[in-house]
């Protein structure tokens, strides 16, 4: 069982993923939690490169960015995700291929068909069984994310939080478009509600699928 969490910054992915992990473990399921980019030695190094490049004057070319994310993903799928799925564990992944389509495609404007092709290689063809799309207005998500940054001594952990509002609106709309195309896999969950209410809905969705 492969579950991914998607949505704009601050929509509640990490919060809800951790709560679902607790729920599933309570039900006796073995879970593996991973994040993108990262989750392996190579992936964490790539994550650091992406963070450092944010502060460099040179910036990062969108195609270069796409390949860095893809390299991290290939390593993560091969070393962690695929073996865990083979052992029939539940894999919970904080962002996956849909993020690449929405951020690099809808957000940065790279060719979406090309991204899909690259995704199919970087994942070795593995696709999520269910994707929880936490949807909320961009202003709500960014406000939450900024609050979190202020509370953690101000070093932004995510490079995209500094992007313009318009960029995030394109990303949000991109997600909603993907969900329309793949309604069976991608479940839209209203992320504006209380944390516990959202959690209950996600548990319902996953319990039915498992
Ligand atoms: N439903 C909610 N209502 C109010 N606050 C929330 C809700 N869900 C999460 N938060 C808070 O908003 C902040 C962002 O949540 P979280 O880190 O889970 O989002 P995220 O989607 O993982 O963000 P990012 O993409 O930046 O990793 C946290 O401080 C969290 O406690
Ligand atoms: Mg998060």
């Amino acid at each position: 069982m492969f579950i991914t969490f998607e949505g704009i910054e601050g929509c509640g992915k990490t919060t809800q993923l951790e709560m679902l992990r607790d729920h599933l473990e309570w039900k006796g399921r073995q879970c593996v939690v991973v994040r993108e980019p990262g989750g392996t030695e190579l992936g964490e190094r790539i994550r650091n490169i992406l963070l450092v490049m944010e502060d460099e004057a040179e910036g990062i070319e969108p195609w270069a960015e796409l390949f860095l994310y893809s390299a991290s993903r290939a390593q993560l799928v091969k070393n962690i995700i695929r073996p865990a799925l083979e052992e029939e564990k539940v894999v919970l992944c904080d962002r996956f291929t849909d993020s690449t389509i929405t951020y690099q495609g809808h957000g940065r404007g790279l060719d979406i068909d090309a991204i899909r092709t690259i995704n199919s290689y970087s994942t070795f063809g593995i696709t999520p069984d269910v994707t929880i799309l936490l949807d909320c207005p961009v202003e709500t998500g960014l406000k939450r994310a900024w609050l979190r940054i202020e509370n953690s001594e101000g070093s932004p952990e995510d490079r995209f939080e500094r992007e313009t509002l318009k960029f995030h609106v394109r990303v949000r709309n991109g997600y909603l478009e993907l969900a329309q195309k793949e309604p069976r896999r991608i479940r839209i969950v209203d992320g504006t509600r209380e944390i516990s209410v959202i959690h209950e809905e996600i548990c319902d969705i996953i319990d039915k699928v498992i």
Side-chain angles (χ1 to χ4, degrees), residues 84-116:
L85 292 175
E86 279 165 6
E87 291 169 16
E88 306 210 339
K89 291 177 180 157
V90 179
V91 176
L92 302 167
C93 191
D94 203 333
R95 294 194 178 284
F96 200 57
T97 43
D98 299 315
S99 284
T100 319
I101 294 174
T102 54
Y103 282 81
Q104 273 72 46
H106 296 93
R108 302 254 187 250
L110 299 188
D111 182 77
I112 287 177
D113 287 333
I115 297 174
R116 285 189 188 280

Side-chain angles (χ1 to χ4, degrees), residues 10 12-15 47 94-95 148 157-158:
K13 296 178 295 297
T14 306
T15 304
R47 186 183 186 89
D94 203 333
R95 294 194 178 284
R148 185 192 58 202
E157 65 171 71
D158 196 322

Side-chain angles (χ1 to χ4, degrees), residues 6-13 16 134-136 141 144 191-192 198:
E6 294 280 3
I8 59 166
E9 273 73 55
C11 67
K13 296 178 295 297
Q16 294 297 334
L134 286 158
D135 181 56
C136 71
R144 286 183 196 160
T192 61
I198 300 170

Side-chain angles (χ1 to χ4, degrees), residues 7-106:
I8 59 166
E9 273 73 55
C11 67
K13 296 178 295 297
T14 306
T15 304
Q16 294 297 334
L17 186 152
E18 292 297 338
M19 291 173 82
L20 179 65
R21 182 235 294 257
D22 290 346
H23 170 75
L24 292 172
E25 287 185 342
W26 174 76
K27 290 187 74 176
R29 287 279 183 159
Q30 268 192 301
C31 297
V32 172
V33 170
V34 286
R35 69 170 178 187
E36 282 215 330
T40 63
E41 224 165 279
L42 177 66
E44 292 299 327
R45 283 179 187 227
I46 290 172
R47 186 183 186 89
N48 284 333
I49 291 175
L50 288 164
L51 283 175
V52 169
M53 285 309 291
E54 178 191 15
D55 296 324
E56 299 290 325
E58 182 182 312
I60 188 161
E61 153 62 31
W63 285 102
E65 182 182 64
L66 171 70
F67 288 123
L68 284 170
Y69 276 103
S70 304
S72 169
R73 178 170 302 143
Q75 192 81 355
L76 183 67
V77 171
K78 191 79 176 272
N79 289 4
I80 311 283
I81 296 178
R82 202 162 69 176
L85 292 175
E86 279 165 6
E87 291 169 16
E88 306 210 339
K89 291 177 180 157
V90 179
V91 176
L92 302 167
C93 191
D94 203 333
R95 294 194 178 284
F96 200 57
T97 43
D98 299 315
S99 284
T100 319
I101 294 174
T102 54
Y103 282 81
Q104 273 72 46
H106 296 93

Side-chain angles (χ1 to χ4, degrees), residues 131-193:
T131 296
I132 302 293
L133 171 55
L134 286 158
D135 181 56
C136 71
V138 165
E139 291 80 1
T140 310
L142 293 186
K143 221 178 274 172
R144 286 183 196 160
W146 279 324
L147 268 180
R148 185 192 58 202
I149 289 164
E150 277 170 20
N151 294 338
S152 64
E153 290 171 14
S155 77
E157 65 171 71
D158 196 322
R159 19 199 325 278
F160 290 112
E161 273 149 0
R162 292 189 194 166
E163 300 289 341
T164 62
L165 218 55
K166 275 186 186 165
F167 174 89
H168 290 280
V169 170
R170 286 202 301 278
V171 171
R172 182 194 183 193
N173 291 337
Y175 273 125
L176 293 172
E177 201 182 302
L178 291 182
Q180 260 190 344
K181 280 187 192 148
E182 285 188 75
R184 278 170 59 94
R185 172 174 71 87
I186 305 179
R187 309 295 178 87
I188 304 173
V189 173
D190 175 2
T192 61
R193 298 165 299 165

